[in-house]
Amino acid sequence: MPQPAPASKNKSSKTETATSATLTPDVPHNNDASSVVDILVSQGVLGPEGAEKIKLEELQTGRTQEEILKELGMVKEEQMAKARAVFYNVPFIDLDQTPISPEALSALTQSVASRFNVIPISIDKDAQQITLAMADPLDITAVEFVRQKTGMRVRPVSAVPSKIERVIGEQYSVGLSRGVTEAIKEAEPTEGGVNTVDLSRLDQVIREAPIAKIVKELLTFAVKSRASDIHVEPEEKSTRVRYRIDGILQEKFIMTKQLHDSLISRIKILSGMKIDEKRVPQDGRFNFKSGGEEVDLRVSSLPTAHGEKIVMRLLKKTGGVPKLPELGLRGRALKNLEDAILRPHGIIIVCGPTGSGKTTTLYSVLSKVSTPRVNVVTLEDPVEYQIAGVNQVQVNPQAGLTFATGLRAFLRQDPNIIMVGEIRDAETAGLAIQAALTGHLVFSTLHTTNASGVLPRLLDMGAEPFLLGSTITCIVAQRIVRKIHEDCKEAYEPDPKILEDMKSNLGSLWPNNPQGGTKLYHGKGDTECGNTGYMGRVGIYEVMPITEKIGRLVLEHASSGDIEKQAKEEGMITMKQDGYLKALEGITTIEEVLRVAQE
């Protein structure tokens, strides 16, 4: 029985067949590449000695290079897929980062996708072309079948085979696209052009089942995936939907542009906006229930070049406000903050960039101090969560209710504790200091990068140095990092340079490891965490109590660097140090800490 030809010859002959077949426009080929192994060597994945070993075994056994590489486990599946893409001269896509168009998904059934191990990504109706992620982009049978099934040209792209299998299972069964796909089929215009909508029936059309179902699917998926925001964004030829999950925006799917106006109008009706006003931004809100969870949605519309964009912020009403230790505060940092909270007067400031969890920390503190014996009033922009027993006020600049005017009114309301959403100007800063001097406990936020930068910033606003030193009791700086998903967590040996950097930053905080060898952790990624390796978030903090020595530095107009140096000498753990300690404990990854805390 004759042996099969070597892999490179097999691929070459396969390419020639594709070229001579009727599939010429659709099936790629690469006449320049000699073999997959050579490409892996050029990419630095495989060494020359390993390549020679593979080629020798190919000649001796007659098996393909890919079969040998897979058996020996010399390269990862993704590296092989990337090399295969170069060899076949096709694009490579990462399915974890690529949105799936529900319209494309509806073009093929699950049985066909599973049979050929392909997944449709997108459709271009103008070019009559469907983009198909394939485990084997030279599978002529699959390309021809999809071409006949859809009546479109097939544009193959290479993807990791195991990811294609996983995405087929997710998208066709419980994924977002299934519900949206069915709704889109119902909402699609009939053959021969776009549906004509009677303007007198516009309101009724928007409320009809398909569009309402799409909105419901978008919201239900957001709740299931723990998303904090939904972005519905118009593009030139399509509408994309992105979700912010654990602080990171993820593009989930793309839908036809024909549905955009109806979809936006449906959301605007739900949130009490004017559907006929498309020239100016609008704000609204509505409630949504899913699986026993009640969610409050703050909705914002914005006119863009390609149509109106909608962003929906999800605020869960169920679950309550987390306690301080649940946020990630612990040890000396937690004790310093709790000591400051117990004082009857003074100012406590939480600082960090937008989206760093400042409001959540303040809510956690307020729920701790709110009792029937004290009067707590808050001034917020906007009120995000409602706390029992707290008088919450939302600013309204159009009506003249700003942070400064609201704070003046609060002082006539016999308060014990005042929370001001943000110190934005010299007037608000001055009023907050006056409130603290007259015996009130004041909480607020400020946009600075670290705790030591708060005092110089307030001095720049015109606050008196001797008043700052005596009124501010504690400053908290924070960031949010994603937590490793416990179910897919694994340890690994870190790069020595990373360990050296961690040791130099932690100094005496570096844990003694008698067994030797320091491990770090990351998540492999699975279906439950969306293949990201992360599930949930936790804060990293630095808490700086204003001691006598730091107060003296403020009087001397010292720089933030001098103030931070003094605070560290007094035992303050910086945000980066807190992040490194949480990475060593396996709570988060070193990459997350560097992403949010690297200056």
Side-chain angles (χ1 to χ4, degrees), residues 536-557:
R537 293 192 288 174
V538 69
I540 57 173
Y541 295 87
E542 62 184 35
V543 178
M544 186 175 80
I546 306 303
T547 61
E548 190 181 332
K549 287 183 179 178
I550 291 174
R552 199 175 300 128
L553 287 173
V554 177
L555 285 171
E556 296 167 2
H557 286 263

Side-chain angles (χ1 to χ4, degrees), residues 320-393:
V321 178
K323 292 181 170 57
L324 290 172
E326 292 170 9
L327 295 176
L329 275 158
R330 56 195 186 163
R332 180 179 287 188
L334 178 60
K335 187 178 184 306
N336 285 337
L337 180 56
E338 287 179 335
D339 288 347
I341 291 167
L342 292 173
R343 292 189 186 183
H345 54 83
I347 301 175
I348 296 172
I349 291 180
V350 182
C351 64
T354 303
S356 60
K358 300 187 297 295
T359 306
T360 305
T361 299
L362 283 178
Y363 280 156
S364 184
V365 169
L366 286 177
S367 63
K368 185 179 175 69
V369 299
S370 177
T371 69
R373 294 187 299 276
V374 293
N375 178 23
V376 183
V377 288
T378 74
L379 191 60
E380 305 173 53
D381 183 19
V383 174
E384 292 191 8
Y385 297 96
Q386 293 177 2
I387 307 169
V390 176
N391 304 288
Q392 294 173 270
V393 179

Side-chain angles (χ1 to χ4, degrees), residues 225-229 244-249 313-315 322-323 325-329 353-358 360 384-385 478-485 534-541 582 587-588 592 595-596:
S225 59
R226 302 167 293 104
S228 61
D229 300 85
R244 190 175 293 282
I245 301 170
D246 291 335
I248 305 294
L249 270 175
R313 165 67 58 88
L314 283 78
L315 302 165
K323 292 181 170 57
E326 292 170 9
L327 295 176
L329 275 158
T354 303
S356 60
K358 300 187 297 295
T360 305
E384 292 191 8
Y385 297 96
Q478 66 179 87
R479 300 286 189 279
I480 300 180
V481 293
R482 291 181 289 173
K483 289 165 70 177
I484 299 171
H485 184 212
Y534 297 100
M535 176 75 83
R537 293 192 288 174
V538 69
I540 57 173
Y541 295 87
K582 284 176 173 140
I587 296 170
T588 186
E592 275 295 288
R595 178 176 70 85
V596 302

